[in-house]
Amino acid sequence: MTEISFNIIGISSVALLLISAGLMALKKFRVPAVFISMLAVLILTLYISTLWIALERPPLRTLGETRLWYGFFLALLSVLFWFRWKYVWLFMYSNLMAALFVIIDLLNPAAIDQTLMPALQSVWFVPHVIVYILGYALLGVAALVAVLIIIKPWIKKDLKVHLHDADNMVYLGFAFLTLGLIFGAMWAKTAWGHYWTWDPKETWAFITWMSYLIYIHIRHRHPDNEKAAAWMLALAFVFMMICWLGIQYLPSAQNSVHTY
Amino acid sequence: MSTQKPIWTFPWGYGESFAAALGIFLAGTGIQFISGINIPLPAWPLNLILLLCFIAVLVITQRVAGKNPVVRWLSSVPAAISAIALFTVLSLLMGFIHQDVLAPADLLFANIKFSWMYLFAQVYILTTLGMTTIRRFSLRKRNIGFMLNHLGIWLVLAAASFGAGDIERYTLQVQKGNIQWIGEDEYGNTHELPVAIALHEFTIEFYAPQAGIWDTKKEILLKKPSFALESKDSVFSWKEYTFRISQVKSSAWLMGETFRDVAAPGAVNAAFVEITAGNSTPKKGWICAASSLHEPSTLAFGDSYELVMKPPKPKLFKSDITIYTEQGSEVSTSLIVNQPITVDGWKIYQYGYDEAMGKYSDISIFELVRDPWLPVIYSGLILLIGGAVFMFINGVGTRKKQS
């Protein structure tokens, strides 16, 4: 039952997200676009809640489940950012990315699995994963700003994009990464005796955290050198993707406690 | 950044900073290679004395020679970035190369966290970070974010590195009905511990057994479907197939043609299944999981599929124990994963059991950890949480006004 309802919910939320991104491109339909995106957020919220109840555990264990949250947060951020900055491209991008992640989940259906191994049965589980995914969503949007700035000289259009737009997302996202790292450390201390064991996922999370730290320092010291900072921001995003999705393919990570 | 000047003339910028970081890296690698030994980890009280001396050197240098161009450089953003970058490069090496605590020291990058380049990188980052924090030390409101973040991370890094020599970790293996106080460290050496543990009972609970489908052509276990065999008389369907479960046994053994309930080590989850597809003759048979003593059974169907029983997934490990300390205190408790108990500065964890015996294990393994620097680490982490909250509200601010 859950499987069928995910297909329906997934397809309808993808449709809503795509429609809202499309409508945003038309000047007349921006208000409905925002409402449709809000509707998609609502549907995803309801779905995540039902899933949580049906699984009798937080739906945060598998990659597919984290992708669902990522899509949810991107859609939510698109609405929040719209109210804050009114950037058309940002709204469209966030909704398209959210749609993409829900589509990936639709194409890779995972079996319903209620099991949660003892090490995951912790109060830290939910805050640790949620702040990370929220941080990832924010920094994913910031990465788009970086890419736009890098390719600006090659595209003829005079893009009105400044790295300043990314800064607040990076600060927020970085703060979430910091919290995720700390919650993870607290959890590790109660689960296996030490707050830091250089588990491959920890190592990559630390690399990611430090790359954003470098970005923040470059921005702080050289606010006018957007080019160097934009490259750093893009590189940091690559590290973050390795940490989140690439880690399971690394030979050094085969014994990680974080492979799922 | 844009002004052209010959390298090594003051003020030092990115060129000099990265050259310094590279020099530190090469020096560390050289010492590691030539000496062939890992870094020593000073223990209490020597590590505290070293840490206090280090802090004193940082403070005095900054106060007395704050105008010296080298000291100025040490608290500059280029030096900070080069130090973070050096640490990132070492982490990247750890991220790509499999790390092994027992690797010989002259295998340069196989055990980085105990290597000389790691030690030097730590000193470099603690120096630049410390110098910056001291130079900009102020508790004014607009400086709070800076102080929380920089002091917080300094405390965490300093306590983690200087305190590493004081961490004690032992595993303690106890048999049911016995009491044990001889532990083993990570290198396999035995130690008499100030804490003894008596094991009264060890329990494992498993989730309901799950069946899955093996694709014999691709030789993979399909991600979907997965059937939770919670009770007998359940029916599942997949593609054109229908699976009817008529018996489920959680502790069974194959005897002749059939599975019987056996409460003994090596017993497995088993289920009797009937598979039908359209009007074809149904396939019937037992499936079971594998254990160290029992072969798995599967049921082939279709052209290239087999119904298999997945390995059981543990839900709970629990030990009922009494802990005795040298001071004479006595604590009786149930210990489970993720809920360690603290006794006399030792944190005691449910760590393992006799896996070959599975749920019939009469052995429970505990881990005992003592880390006296933990309060300092946590203080640093709390400052960092404060810094993160501050960043939510205020961002970090750029030097717009000056540029």
Side-chain angles (χ1 to χ4, degrees):
Chain A
M1 191 206 105
T2 327
E3 185 188 324
I4 300 161
S5 59
F6 178 60
N7 284 338
I8 296 168
I9 287 176
I11 291 167
S12 51
S13 57
V14 166
L16 289 174
L17 291 166
L18 293 177
I19 291 169
S20 88
L23 287 181
M24 183 51 69
L26 310 166
K27 222 171 181 175
K28 275 187 188 167
F29 294 103
R30 285 190 181 152
V31 177
V34 176
F35 273 105
I36 290 172
S37 182
M38 284 159 90
L39 191 61
V41 173
L42 192 68
I43 290 180
L44 287 171
T45 313
L46 283 175
Y47 181 62
I48 291 175
S49 330
T50 9
L51 197 59
W52 196 317
I53 295 163
L55 290 173
E56 297 167 9
R57 64 167 175 81
L60 292 163
R61 204 200 76 184
T62 65
L63 267 185
E65 286 161 7
T66 59
R67 279 193 299 253
L68 190 62
W69 282 90
Y70 194 74
F72 162 75
F73 279 130
L74 277 176
L76 179 68
L77 287 174
S78 80
V79 175
L80 295 179
F81 286 157
W82 175 256
F83 287 121
R84 175 74 179 77
W85 287 304
K86 299 270 188 303
Y87 285 131
V88 172
W89 55 269
L90 188 59
F91 183 88
M92 291 171 67
Y93 166 82
S94 316
N95 279 296
L96 289 175
M97 286 302 287
L100 175 70
F101 275 84
V102 180
I103 289 171
I104 295 175
D105 267 11
L106 281 169
L107 297 179
N108 292 289
I112 294 299
D113 185 352
Q114 295 183 317
T115 60
L116 203 55
M117 63 182 208
L120 289 181
Q121 299 164 11
S122 164
V123 288
W124 294 108
F125 183 35
V126 175
H128 170 67
V129 183
I130 286 189
V131 295
Y132 258 122
I133 297 296
L134 188 50
Y136 286 1
L138 281 159
L139 295 168
V141 180
L144 173 75
V145 180
V147 171
L148 288 178
I149 285 170
I150 291 169
I151 61 171
K152 210 153 80 170
W154 290 294
I155 47 175
K156 282 171 190 161
K157 235 186 186 177
D158 185 29
L159 267 173
K160 284 200 180 68
V161 179
H162 295 285
L163 211 46
H164 185 70
D165 300 327
D167 285 342
N168 286 315
M169 297 175 214
V170 173
Y171 300 150
L172 264 177
F174 182 77
F176 279 120
L177 289 193
T178 309
L179 291 180
L181 209 58
I182 294 172
F183 293 166
M186 306 277 206
W187 184 4
K189 183 65 198 169
T190 62
W192 45 84
H194 200 39
Y195 49 85
W196 196 262
T197 50
W198 292 105
D199 175 86
K201 190 87 164 190
E202 284 175 351
T203 305
W204 281 97
F206 191 55
I207 292 166
T208 308
W209 190 78
M210 287 198 293
S211 339
Y212 283 104
L213 202 55
I214 294 179
Y215 169 81
I216 290 173
H217 281 87
I218 294 177
R219 287 297 287 158
H220 171 72
R221 184 71 182 79
H222 313 284
D224 298 325
N225 190 339
E226 292 208 338
K227 198 97 204 181
W231 277 102
M232 191 61 226
L233 189 51
L235 179 68
F237 180 72
V238 171
F239 288 151
M240 194 176 84
M241 284 297 111
I242 294 177
C243 180
W244 182 23
L245 305 169
I247 192 109
Q248 49 193 330
Y249 305 109
L250 289 176
S252 57
Q254 289 318 302
N255 297 318
S256 170
V257 294
H258 278 97
T259 44
Y260 39 78
Chain B
M1 206 172 173
S2 50
T3 46
Q4 291 293 319
K5 63 173 185 59
I7 198 163
W8 301 119
T9 52
F10 293 116
W12 289 356
Y14 285 92
E16 292 84 355
S17 299
F18 278 95
L22 181 67
I24 288 166
F25 178 76
L26 292 177
T29 316
I31 294 179
Q32 182 78 15
F33 188 68
I34 292 164
S35 72
I37 50 163
N38 285 329
I39 47 167
L41 292 178
W44 189 269
L46 181 62
N47 53 358
L48 179 69
I49 296 169
L50 285 173
L51 178 60
L52 293 176
C53 291
F54 182 60
I55 296 174
V57 168
L58 290 183
V59 173
I60 293 167
T61 314
Q62 187 59 261
R63 290 288 168 219
V64 173
K67 294 223 165 74
N68 176 295
V70 178
V71 178
R72 278 213 103 110
W73 162 73
L74 276 173
S75 59
S76 69
V77 169
I81 288 181
S82 75
I84 303 171
L86 175 59
F87 222 78
T88 310
V89 168
L90 287 178
S91 307
L92 278 169
L93 287 171
M94 280 196 252
F96 281 117
I97 300 167
H98 179 71
Q99 298 291 299
D100 180 6
V101 202
L102 300 173
D106 48 3
L107 263 180
L108 286 178
F109 303 117
N111 188 10
I112 288 178
K113 63 178 169 170
F114 292 116
S115 70
W116 290 88
M117 41 277 183
Y118 184 75
L119 172 74
F120 287 2
Q122 288 235 318
V123 172
Y124 185 41
I125 203 165
L126 283 173
T127 306
T128 57
L129 185 58
M131 287 289 197
T132 314
T133 315
I134 296 163
R135 187 167 63 79
R136 282 189 52 187
F137 191 91
S138 146
L139 298 177
R140 276 177 304 152
K141 200 178 156 202
R142 54 183 286 265
N143 206 37
I144 294 283
F146 170 87
M147 289 304 292
L148 288 171
N149 284 320
H150 290 76
L151 194 58
I153 190 69
W154 196 89
L155 275 179
V156 173
L157 288 179
S161 47
F162 282 84
D166 287 332
I167 295 175
E168 292 178 80
R169 301 182 72 149
Y170 304 103
T171 53
L172 190 68
Q173 185 172 320
V174 194
Q175 194 153 25
K176 193 171 148 184
N178 279 6
I179 181 164
Q180 182 60 272
W181 59 93
I182 308 289
E184 208 173 76
D185 64 22
E186 56 188 322
Y187 304 102
N189 308 314
T190 50
H191 300 261
E192 197 166 316
L193 305 179
V195 176
I197 298 178
L199 177 66
H200 311 302
E201 190 64 67
F202 174 70
T203 343
I204 306 182
E205 283 173 25
F206 290 96
Y207 284 101
Q210 290 183 330
I213 292 168
W214 178 266
D215 186 324
T216 51
K217 272 191 194 144
K218 293 183 194 155
E219 299 204 329
I220 49 162
L221 183 67
L222 300 182
K223 270 189 178 171
K224 271 186 85 167
S226 186
F227 309 127
L229 311 178
E230 278 173 31
S231 62
K232 56 178 195 160
D233 307 326
S234 26
V235 180
F236 304 101
S237 54
W238 176 70
K239 290 191 172 172
E240 70 267 34
Y241 304 99
T242 305
F243 307 85
R244 247 171 254 284
I245 316 294
S246 54
Q247 289 187 64
V248 179
K249 292 182 185 297
S250 61
S251 183
W253 203 283
L254 181 63
M255 295 183 180
E257 295 286 293
T258 187
F259 277 80
R260 295 191 194 283
D261 288 311
V262 171
V268 290
N269 287 323
F272 191 79
V273 194
E274 184 184 298
I275 307 175
T276 47
N279 296 325
S280 60
T281 8
K283 290 209 109 184
K284 288 180 191 174
W286 284 93
I287 59 166
C288 80
S291 77
S292 54
L293 299 171
H294 203 292
E295 291 275 303
S297 319
T298 62
L299 191 57
F301 65 96
D303 293 336
S304 58
Y305 299 116
E306 277 178 18
L307 188 69
V308 300
M309 185 72 93
K310 295 187 185 176
K313 289 190 176 168
K315 188 180 190 175
L316 176 81
F317 302 111
K318 189 176 82 172
S319 297
D320 296 321
I321 53 169
T322 303
I323 303 159
Y324 304 91
T325 68
E326 273 184 340
Q327 281 78 26
S329 54
E330 201 180 306
V331 184
S332 287
T333 183
S334 288
L335 200 59
I336 64 173
V337 173
N338 250 321
Q339 288 177 23
I341 169 164
T342 308
V343 176
D344 277 4
W346 290 88
K347 271 190 187 295
I348 303 172
Y349 297 83
Q350 173 67 51
Y351 183 78
Y353 61 103
D354 183 349
E355 288 176 30
M357 297 286 277
K359 64 180 163 190
Y360 297 98
S361 168
D362 61 348
I363 285 172
S364 185
I365 307 169
F366 304 100
E367 186 174 39
L368 283 79
V369 183
R370 211 177 73 91
D371 184 357
W373 292 75
L374 207 56
V376 188
I377 300 275
Y378 282 168
S379 318
L381 291 181
I382 289 167
L383 294 185
L384 273 177
I385 291 177
V389 172
F390 199 85
M391 272 174 98
F392 283 132
I393 303 166
N394 295 333
V396 293
T398 56
R399 286 194 174 179
K400 276 261 158 67
K401 284 166 208 151
Q402 292 172 28
S403 60

